[in-house]
Amino acid sequence: MAKALENKVVNWANNQILDLGWRIHDPEQLVTDKQIESSLKNNPSKKGGSGGGRPDYTIMIENGEVTIPVIIEDKGTKNRLVKLDGQNLVVLRNSESQFDYKSAIPSYAVNGAVYYAMNVVKDTEYQEALAVGINGYDDSTGETVYEISVYVVNKKDPELPIKLGDYVNLDFLKNTEPQKSKLFKNIEDVQMDPHELEQRAIRDDAKIEAVLKELNQKIHEEQQIIPSQRINIVAGALMAAVGVKDKKGNYVVSRLKPEELTGSTEYRNTDGEKIVRKIENFLMERKLPEQKQRQIVNVLKSNFVDNNLNNKSNTETQTPIKTIYKEIYDKLIPIYDVTGINDFTGKLFNVMNAWVDVPDGGANDVVLTPRYITDFMVKLTQTNMNSYVWDWALGSGGFLISAMNRMINDAQEQYVNQLTKQQQKIEKIKTEQLLGIELLPNVYILAVLNMILMGDGSSNIVNDNSLTHYNGNYAYNEEPFPADVFLLNPPYSAEGNGMIFVEKAFQKQQKGHGAVIIQDSAGSGRASEINKRILKNNRLKASIKMPADLFKASVQTSIYLFDVGVPHQKEDNVYFVDLREDGYTRTNRKKAKNNLLNSNDAKGHYQEVVDIILDKAKRTNYFHENENYYKDTIDPESGNDWNFEQHQVIDYTPTEADFMKTVGGYLSWEVSQLLKAGE
């Protein structure tokens, strides 16, 4: 019955396709395009078979500027239109991160179409493709119900299709106006829809977090590896696993596959040494300075070679290091292949920061800043592709990663049709426009590994004391670093709760913007003298009060935003913003999958604060002047009036509602007394 109904769906679709006005091809027969034919031939079919497969229909649509393949798949069973995950995204992989050739891809119309479309955009010059799923089923009256769902698949994220819409027929595909213009505009618009982009980011975050939690538990429970070593093992294994490609996409350093680790005891050919050799080739091909290469290899070698993980016992079939490496290769590399290096490593280290203990973190006052806060501060400082960004207390490198991502995205947008210029600019961003200083050796290595996996923004990461020794130069030459963006979460135990870092950095930075997240007390008395000196050459532009539970330790913090090189005048207005209600709900449950819940459009809250402070048009309406934000002045000769509460205006004048509430309360009390007296 299902087969007969599917044939009916095919005939229904075929009759409409003949009327679309595009060049028609017989389904599953004629070659539509040589590039597409090659892609279909060289990838497994939707059931996983070799020799490729063919969609039910392939149509090419164009508007004179772009040509877009349309991949169509039919089904004839109720509830077989599309299979979605918990975030309403099309399922392509199973719980083991392998393509789901048994269920989702072959059994659902949309999923099958998306699978073929994904391969097409990966393998061809086409930047996007449409995946169209058509399904039909008989309702309770015997009438056949037809349903169509359409997704856009693009080259940037080929495994994360974006929904275009649901339709009752194929008229939206007609090669006539106004349908044609509307279709191409919708395809363009939907790829920029903020909700869709956020949903895709949520799935990436959730998948990486789930895999890393499982890895962390396995490495801890099965191998008893201490936290300070785990991040080195994961980062080092990833270097060996991802390889390095040239500009044409060919591997110049091949991936080390788990089966190459044979447990050999031959001199310099053990599993750990094979991984370290691959790491050495990775670093060399990335053209890191030789001194930095030696330093990284020396640190990682102790994790992969000089310990018991590299030896197997008589009862083990493989070395513990191979067991760990295979877990990382099988679970993380598929996600890496989907999301790409920049998004992947940003999410990876954001999760790692949550479960890796920074050595002596309490004693050394190390606090890792959440990524949504580093992204927020990067926006506040107006970082773009021409910025020169530095961080004087680097930690794991979160600020520089957020800055680098924004700078690269800006370069990609500015040079969208100039790929050579785009690549040159991105290379310059990574090698010349980012600089960080970190004193603690273990935290410094964490930052270096983080940045290397990002594609190497680590060239100018300095292991030094920024307050006493650092002279403001690049890491590997004597030229001054021309900073115009300063980002910081300082050690709060330093002088002035850490404001001394701001003063020292601004003495060397001549222009631009700076943002620091710091304890409130720095702006209300603990750093008065430092603050007064800072204001002589730098303007306080905004003070933003942050949630009290932002960090694990309940520390009340604010973000101070500065215009660098502009002396603060008495009449200068400062934005004072209350962001304690930021749209997030935070919990601290050890077994919770996610302790940060976006309960009330957190992204909108943070973006609106940026829009207010940078005088942009607001897209939401969470903040109102003289309610939860104020414009007020400070005394440049005081240095202790920088916080929101000191400028909040509270109206104590009684209102009619206050009066009625008080009278009502009194009358209730009087009535109760009379009732008691009458008893």
Side-chain angles (χ1 to χ4, degrees):
M1 179 67 183
K3 185 65 178 176
L5 188 53
E6 186 166 331
N7 289 335
K8 185 177 181 180
V9 174
V10 169
N11 291 331
W12 179 81
N14 190 51
N15 289 333
Q16 293 191 63
I17 288 172
L18 290 171
D19 193 41
L20 292 179
W22 300 106
R23 186 162 50 96
I24 303 299
H25 306 281
D26 291 335
E28 299 188 346
Q29 298 298 320
L30 297 182
V31 176
T32 303
D33 177 281
K34 287 184 178 180
Q35 294 182 77
I36 295 176
E37 175 67 10
S38 176
S39 173
L40 294 172
K41 183 178 179 181
N42 293 326
N43 286 290
S45 70
K46 64 185 178 183
K47 292 185 178 181
S50 60
R54 289 190 180 279
D56 290 330
Y57 301 92
T58 305
I59 301 171
M60 308 299 290
I61 62 174
E62 54 83 24
N63 66 352
E65 295 181 4
V66 295
T67 300
I68 299 176
V70 180
I71 310 297
I72 302 176
E73 281 284 295
D74 299 324
K75 292 295 173 190
T77 306
K78 190 173 183 178
N79 299 325
R80 292 293 179 173
L81 178 64
V82 59
K83 183 176 183 179
L84 302 173
D85 64 13
Q87 281 78 41
N88 289 322
L89 298 172
V90 176
V91 174
L92 290 175
R93 295 181 183 266
N94 57 27
S95 59
E96 301 299 318
S97 295
Q98 304 299 317
F99 282 117
D100 189 357
Y101 294 123
K102 291 184 178 180
S103 177
I105 294 172
S107 301
Y108 295 84
V110 167
N111 303 66
V114 166
Y115 172 73
Y116 286 128
M118 171 202 73
N119 288 329
V120 166
V121 297
K122 279 184 176 180
D123 298 341
T124 70
E125 66 183 13
Y126 298 113
Q127 298 299 305
E128 57 215 348
L130 287 189
V132 180
I134 302 176
N135 187 43
Y137 62 91
D138 289 340
D139 64 15
S140 58
T141 67
E143 289 292 320
T144 301
V145 176
Y146 297 100
E147 51 187 357
I148 300 171
S149 194
V150 184
Y151 286 76
V152 180
V153 178
N154 62 34
K155 192 177 283 291
K156 182 179 179 183
D157 295 303
E159 286 193 36
L160 295 172
I162 304 169
K163 188 167 185 178
L164 186 69
D166 294 319
Y167 303 90
V168 296
N169 55 44
L170 294 178
D171 283 356
F172 72 96
L173 275 175
K174 282 190 173 181
N175 186 17
T176 55
E177 297 296 353
Q179 291 100 322
K180 179 177 172 179
S181 295
K182 183 179 179 181
L183 172 64
F184 278 87
K185 186 174 188 309
N186 287 346
I187 292 171
E188 180 180 355
D189 289 348
V190 75
Q191 294 180 74
M192 300 304 295
D193 180 68
H195 176 71
E196 288 291 346
L197 296 175
E198 183 176 10
Q199 288 296 96
R200 290 151 71 193
I202 288 171
R203 186 169 84 164
D204 282 351
D205 283 340
K207 189 180 289 186
I208 291 175
E209 184 168 357
V211 170
L212 280 175
K213 281 187 174 180
E214 184 182 348
L215 273 173
N216 183 45
Q217 188 172 356
K218 278 195 171 188
I219 293 173
H220 170 64
E221 292 181 355
E222 296 177 10
Q223 310 300 339
Q224 299 299 306
I225 299 173
I226 62 174
S228 60
Q229 289 181 313
R230 289 177 215 162
I231 194 161
N232 291 347
I233 289 173
V234 174
L238 282 171
M239 289 184 207
V242 301
V244 180
K245 291 182 179 180
D246 61 19
K247 293 180 180 178
K248 294 182 180 180
N250 301 314
Y251 280 103
V252 291
V253 176
S254 63
R255 289 178 166 179
L256 178 66
K257 297 180 179 178
E259 54 265 32
E260 296 178 56
L261 304 178
T262 60
S264 171
T265 57
E266 181 184 337
Y267 176 65
R268 298 196 67 185
N269 204 36
T270 63
D271 288 352
E273 286 167 318
K274 286 179 181 178
I275 295 173
V276 169
R277 281 205 304 275
K278 190 63 70 170
I279 292 170
E280 289 174 333
N281 293 342
F282 176 96
L283 297 173
M284 189 181 305
E285 192 60 40
R286 289 288 181 85
K287 297 180 173 57
L288 265 71
E290 290 185 11
Q291 177 186 343
K292 181 157 287 185
Q293 291 184 44
R294 289 194 300 271
Q295 182 184 29
I296 294 165
V297 170
N298 288 339
V299 170
L300 296 181
K301 188 176 179 181
S302 64
N303 296 282
F304 289 98
V305 178
D306 303 328
N307 58 50
N308 291 331
L309 295 177
N310 196 32
N311 304 313
K312 62 180 178 181
S313 67
N314 294 332
T315 60
E316 292 175 316
T317 58
Q318 60 187 21
T319 61
I321 200 65
K322 177 179 179 177
T323 302
I324 296 170
Y325 184 83
K326 189 174 187 306
E327 281 285 322
I328 292 169
Y329 191 96
D330 290 346
K331 299 291 179 63
L332 284 178
I333 292 302
I335 305 173
Y336 166 84
D337 288 338
V338 173
T339 58
I341 188 67
N342 288 339
D343 288 341
F344 172 78
T345 49
K347 299 175 196 301
L348 175 74
F349 276 83
N350 183 55
V351 175
M352 279 186 172
N353 285 346
W355 56 256
V356 174
D357 293 330
V358 177
D360 300 322
N364 290 307
D365 200 21
V366 175
V367 181
L368 301 173
T369 314
R371 193 180 72 228
Y372 64 95
I373 298 299
T374 62
D375 289 346
F376 176 56
M377 292 168 66
V378 164
K379 287 182 180 180
L380 286 170
T381 52
Q382 303 174 64
T383 303
N384 58 51
M385 70 175 189
N386 295 318
S387 299
Y388 283 78
V389 183
W390 60 1
D391 179 350
W392 276 43
L394 187 62
S396 65
F399 281 113
L400 292 193
I401 288 169
S402 286
M404 183 163 70
N405 277 335
R406 187 167 181 83
M407 294 161 77
I408 288 173
N409 288 338
D410 187 33
Q412 290 170 338
E413 291 176 5
Q414 296 297 324
Y415 297 121
V416 64
N417 295 318
Q418 303 174 65
L419 293 183
T420 300
K421 282 190 175 182
Q422 183 185 109
Q423 290 170 353
Q424 290 173 345
K425 184 60 180 175
I426 290 173
E427 182 68 18
K428 184 175 181 180
I429 288 169
K430 291 178 177 180
T431 58
E432 297 181 27
Q433 294 178 228
L434 300 160
L435 186 145
I437 311 107
E438 175 54 50
L439 175 62
L440 300 175
N442 286 331
V443 181
Y444 162 75
I445 287 295
L446 172 66
V448 169
L449 294 176
N450 198 349
M451 298 300 289
I452 286 172
L453 285 172
M454 289 291 291
D456 187 31
S458 74
S459 299
N460 291 292
I461 294 183
V462 183
N463 186 198
D464 205 346
N465 188 323
S466 51
L467 297 181
T468 60
H469 291 98
Y470 178 61
N471 59 9
N473 292 345
Y474 278 98
Y476 294 98
N477 64 52
E478 295 304 314
E479 294 182 17
F481 183 75
D484 55 18
V485 171
F486 174 72
L487 297 163
L488 182 71
N489 180 357
Y492 302 154
S493 59
E495 185 181 350
N497 283 147
M499 286 302 293
I500 187 66
F501 285 87
V502 179
E503 180 185 18
K504 293 284 187 181
F506 284 0
Q507 288 172 354
K508 299 183 184 302
Q509 181 176 330
Q510 304 300 315
K511 61 178 181 178
H513 309 283
V516 57
I517 183 166
I518 199 164
Q519 275 188 321
D520 269 2
S521 51
S524 59
R526 287 289 297 275
S528 296
E529 294 305 314
I530 296 174
N531 292 347
K532 287 190 287 185
R533 294 196 296 267
I534 287 172
L535 293 178
K536 290 187 182 300
N537 291 297
N538 309 280
R539 176 192 168 199
L540 180 64
K541 186 170 183 176
S543 170
I544 306 164
K545 192 170 189 67
M546 304 303 292
D549 52 0
L550 185 65
F551 298 104
K552 287 182 180 179
S554 293
V555 178
Q556 184 58 66
T557 57
S558 288
I559 292 173
Y560 301 138
L561 178 66
F562 301 90
D563 290 332
V564 179
V566 182
H568 194 103
Q569 306 296 329
K570 284 186 176 181
E571 61 272 16
D572 286 337
N573 270 325
V574 180
Y575 286 93
F576 293 93
V577 183
D578 185 359
L579 191 50
R580 284 173 289 189
E581 299 294 330
D582 66 348
Y584 282 121
T585 299
R586 297 168 182 83
T587 62
N588 194 26
R589 294 171 294 162
K590 289 185 178 180
K591 294 186 178 180
K593 288 185 177 180
N594 186 4
N595 282 319
L596 183 70
L597 304 176
N598 186 352
S599 53
N600 184 25
D601 187 21
K603 193 172 182 180
H605 279 73
Y606 280 91
Q607 184 58 52
E608 185 172 332
V609 174
V610 172
D611 292 338
I612 289 169
I613 293 172
L614 300 186
D615 197 25
K616 305 288 186 182
K618 289 168 55 177
R619 285 161 275 189
T620 51
N621 200 34
Y622 300 118
F623 294 88
H624 304 90
E625 190 170 358
N626 298 325
E627 291 182 18
N628 49 4
Y629 85 90
Y630 299 84
K631 283 193 288 187
D632 199 4
T633 60
I634 61 172
D635 180 1
E637 299 301 323
S638 171
N640 61 7
D641 55 352
W642 287 19
N643 292 333
F644 172 81
E645 297 93 334
Q646 296 162 290
H647 300 269
Q648 181 181 17
V649 178
I650 300 175
D651 188 358
Y652 293 103
T653 305
T655 64
E656 184 177 350
D658 295 327
F659 174 76
M660 295 300 293
K661 183 178 180 180
T662 302
V663 170
Y666 174 74
L667 290 175
S668 290
W669 175 82
E670 238 190 17
V671 168
S672 68
Q673 295 304 306
L674 289 171
L675 290 173
K676 284 181 181 179
E679 290 178 354

